[in-house]
Amino acid sequence: MREATLLEIKETARRHLVEHGPAGVSLRAVAREMGMTAPGLYRYVPGIDALLVAVTADLFDELASAVAAADAGVPDHDTDQRILSSLRAFRSWATTHRAEFAIMFGPRTAPEADITPAVEAGRRFGATFFTLFDRLLAERRFPLPDDASVPDDLARELRSFADTCGIWTDHIPVAAVQVLASCWVRLYGVVCMEVFEHMHFAMHDMTPLFEAELFDVLTGLGVRYTPPGDGGGTAARPSDSSD
Amino acid sequence: MREATLLEIKETARRHLVEHGPAGVSLRAVAREMGMTAPGLYRYVPGIDALLVAVTADLFDELASAVAAADAGVPDHDTDQRILSSLRAFRSWATTHRAEFAIMFGPRTAPEADITPAVEAGRRFGATFFTLFDRLLAERRFPLPDDASVPDDLARELRSFADTCGIWTDHIPVAAVQVLASCWVRLYGVVCMEVFEHMHFAMHDMTPLFEAELFDVLTGLGVRYTPPGDGGGTAARPSDSSD
DNA sequence: CAGTGTGAGCTAACGGTGTTCACTAAAGCG
DNA sequence: CGCTTTAGTGAACACCGTTAGCTCACACTG
């Protein structure tokens, strides 16, 4: 009953989000479309900001599901392909859900205090990759730099990060956490760039650049890269199969 | 006369931007603060969107100036330090001008057609780094991968990118452009992450992570990294001087 | 069954927004 | 002086978020 209405509110808001952009989501419009009036929505949601946060949280779960589905779509033992598939699913979801991605990964507007549901969902999303990375670590795919080579202040921050994200710091060296952070920053950067269209004036298709970054990142991680449509035979550089 | 008024409008808008966030910029408020009424502003600016775009364009110029100043602050011949200083200036400006950075590098809201002044200014900003990178290239600091190793589709996009940005494609191999793009994506990613505070729940000071990325990127470019406060003596890893 | 809550949803209102239109007043110019 | 251009205003329209007070239907209780 009540749950269903809240769900419908969020769904309507999300539709408005994709159709009119983040600024186009308004309580009044959502209410109108549901055959209600704006004040009625206050029975379900404490305000427009909270509604956006709730929608954002749901989106993180949806993205996590999409990534998990891609992960589950390849044989369990094939770690390489699982990672490849998961990361491509992340980008694919991002590029096909630009407005959603914008409110999830774009600049924050609300004060940090009241976005906890969203960061909670974001953490669940991150966990998808953490477990895959953990497996990579267990398989000792790449030479891990010595923990002593990571400076004290960075180590402190990385430990804090790992703790908060539920990575077992006693099992995993800080150097590994740094590698993880570095890889994530790289992929986040290229996807942000693409979705926010900051290169659109100069580069119309960002796929090759993303694939190149993916190749570099994964190679550095000891993971075998295979080009997008490939069944997994040749470990060539991105799109080299066309040469 | 007229120029001055437009300038005052943009300055007022910018102040509102930093004080109340991107959504807090309103024509009415700007006009009120200037002792005018909102419709009067339409003599100078075709609407709120265009005002934001104009402000964004100015911000790119300001950021470019800040970077250029940092660049000019070190001896001309010291390419390493110039790059280091420029990139740190970029991050420094970003972190001290979060709201401004958000509308410059965050998700786009206006259709691409009418943001040309901003992308024009953005290109001027990029040029600062292009010339430094060009110099690095001329000094043959790092082994350049073979052009044949970059896939066709990526090469096409990179050439388009280089052309639009005014990099002489006949002088510079595509592989170099790829290296440049990769480096930029990395630094953009880490700074975005910091300014948008996507890790703030888990990592409170992003300086060490940025410096670590800077170290990695520059090392890969054959540039000698020196820790922030350092005069330039030891080429240690970030913050290692404290050990 | 009568009475009493309780909660969903409404109307009205306040203050804010972007934008348009018709208008005034002043300045420049032949 | 008369005319044109231009800066700026006031009123209006259509939105927005949010609050306060209200109605009405349902459920529960004596």
Side-chain angles (χ1 to χ4, degrees):
Chain A
M1 353 281 146
R2 193 180 158 77
E3 291 285 330
T5 316
L6 180 56
L7 213 81
E8 189 187 348
I9 293 175
K10 293 195 288 187
E11 279 170 359
T12 314
R14 194 247 177 96
R15 201 164 50 248
H16 282 232
L17 171 68
V18 322
E19 285 172 8
H20 310 107
V25 185
S26 78
L27 284 180
R28 291 188 120 111
V30 168
R32 206 179 306 137
E33 186 160 321
M34 293 177 57
M36 286 179 60
T37 61
L41 297 186
Y42 279 76
R43 296 276 171 197
Y44 301 89
V45 153
I48 183 72
D49 291 345
L51 174 57
L52 263 314
V53 170
V55 170
T56 303
D58 284 4
L59 289 173
F60 269 112
D61 285 338
E62 183 181 313
L63 172 55
S65 294
V67 171
D71 180 33
V74 314
D76 201 64
H77 60 86
D78 192 350
T79 313
D80 301 67
Q81 207 63 34
R82 282 175 63 189
I83 290 185
L84 207 45
S85 178
S86 297
L87 290 174
R88 287 210 180 102
F90 169 64
R91 167 178 176 256
S92 173
W93 193 93
T95 53
T96 53
H97 302 81
R98 303 182 169 248
E100 292 96 322
F101 184 88
I103 66 167
M104 296 163 74
F105 294 95
R108 271 215 345 260
T109 129
E112 184 180 12
D114 41 48
I115 60 164
T116 35
V119 326
E120 176 63 27
R123 202 150 45 194
R124 278 196 299 275
F125 160 70
T128 317
F129 290 118
F130 296 154
T131 59
L132 277 172
F133 185 75
D134 196 35
R135 180 146 168 176
L136 228 50
L137 225 54
E139 296 179 8
R140 306 193 179 286
R141 293 297 196 91
F142 54 100
L144 214 51
D146 191 3
D147 265 18
S149 76
V150 21
D152 277 1
D153 52 356
L154 178 58
R156 195 164 31 245
E157 295 295 334
L158 289 173
R159 258 189 292 266
S160 156
F161 166 70
D163 276 356
T164 320
C165 290
I167 311 179
W168 316 311
T169 9
D170 45 348
H171 242 184
I172 292 180
V174 264
V177 182
Q178 187 194 342
V179 171
L180 172 64
S182 176
C183 292
W184 174 242
V185 156
R186 254 174 109 164
L187 295 168
Y188 168 82
V190 66
V191 171
C192 266
M193 211 134 214
E194 175 171 13
V195 175
F196 297 167
E197 300 183 17
H198 284 308
M199 295 229 149
H200 195 263
F201 71 101
M203 190 181 286
H204 293 87
D205 183 11
M206 294 274 289
T207 312
L209 188 59
F210 172 79
E211 289 295 329
E213 282 297 295
L214 200 54
F215 175 86
D216 277 4
V217 166
L218 292 191
T219 303
L221 245 38
V223 173
R224 200 187 65 216
Y225 172 93
T226 40
D230 203 281
T234 60
R237 295 215 62 174
S239 314
D240 251 8
S241 53
S242 65
D243 299 3
Chain B
M1 355 282 143
R2 195 182 155 77
E3 293 283 330
T5 316
L6 179 57
L7 213 81
E8 190 187 346
I9 293 175
K10 292 194 288 186
E11 278 169 359
T12 314
R14 193 246 176 96
R15 200 165 50 249
H16 282 231
L17 172 68
V18 323
E19 284 172 9
H20 310 105
V25 185
S26 78
L27 284 181
R28 292 187 120 112
V30 168
R32 206 179 306 136
E33 187 160 319
M34 291 178 58
M36 287 179 58
T37 60
L41 297 187
Y42 279 76
R43 296 277 170 195
Y44 301 90
V45 153
I48 183 73
D49 292 345
L51 174 56
L52 263 315
V53 170
V55 170
T56 303
D58 285 5
L59 289 173
F60 269 112
D61 285 339
E62 183 182 314
L63 172 56
S65 295
V67 171
D71 180 33
V74 315
D76 201 64
H77 59 86
D78 192 350
T79 313
D80 302 65
Q81 207 63 33
R82 282 176 63 189
I83 291 185
L84 208 44
S85 179
S86 298
L87 290 175
R88 286 209 182 101
F90 169 65
R91 167 176 176 257
S92 174
W93 193 92
T95 53
T96 53
H97 302 81
R98 309 183 102 92
E100 292 94 322
F101 184 87
I103 66 168
M104 296 163 74
F105 294 96
R108 270 210 352 247
T109 131
E112 184 179 11
D114 40 47
I115 61 166
T116 36
V119 325
E120 176 62 27
R123 202 150 44 193
R124 280 196 298 275
F125 160 71
T128 317
F129 290 118
F130 296 155
T131 60
L132 277 171
F133 184 75
D134 196 34
R135 178 147 170 174
L136 228 51
L137 225 55
E139 296 180 8
R140 307 193 179 285
R141 293 298 195 91
F142 54 99
L144 212 52
D146 189 3
D147 265 17
S149 77
V150 21
D152 278 1
D153 51 355
L154 178 57
R156 193 164 32 243
E157 296 295 335
L158 289 173
R159 259 189 292 266
S160 155
F161 166 72
D163 275 356
T164 319
C165 290
I167 311 179
W168 315 313
T169 8
D170 45 347
H171 242 183
I172 291 180
V174 265
V177 182
Q178 187 195 343
V179 170
L180 172 64
S182 177
C183 292
W184 174 242
V185 156
R186 254 172 109 164
L187 294 167
Y188 168 82
V190 67
V191 172
C192 265
M193 210 134 213
E194 176 171 14
V195 176
F196 297 165
E197 301 183 18
H198 284 307
M199 294 230 149
H200 195 263
F201 72 101
M203 190 182 284
H204 293 86
D205 183 11
M206 294 275 289
T207 313
L209 188 58
F210 172 78
E211 289 294 329
E213 282 297 294
L214 200 53
F215 175 86
D216 277 4
V217 166
L218 292 191
T219 301
L221 245 38
V223 173
R224 200 186 63 217
Y225 172 93
T226 41
D230 202 283
T234 60
R237 296 216 60 175
S239 314
D240 250 9
S241 53
S242 66
D243 298 3

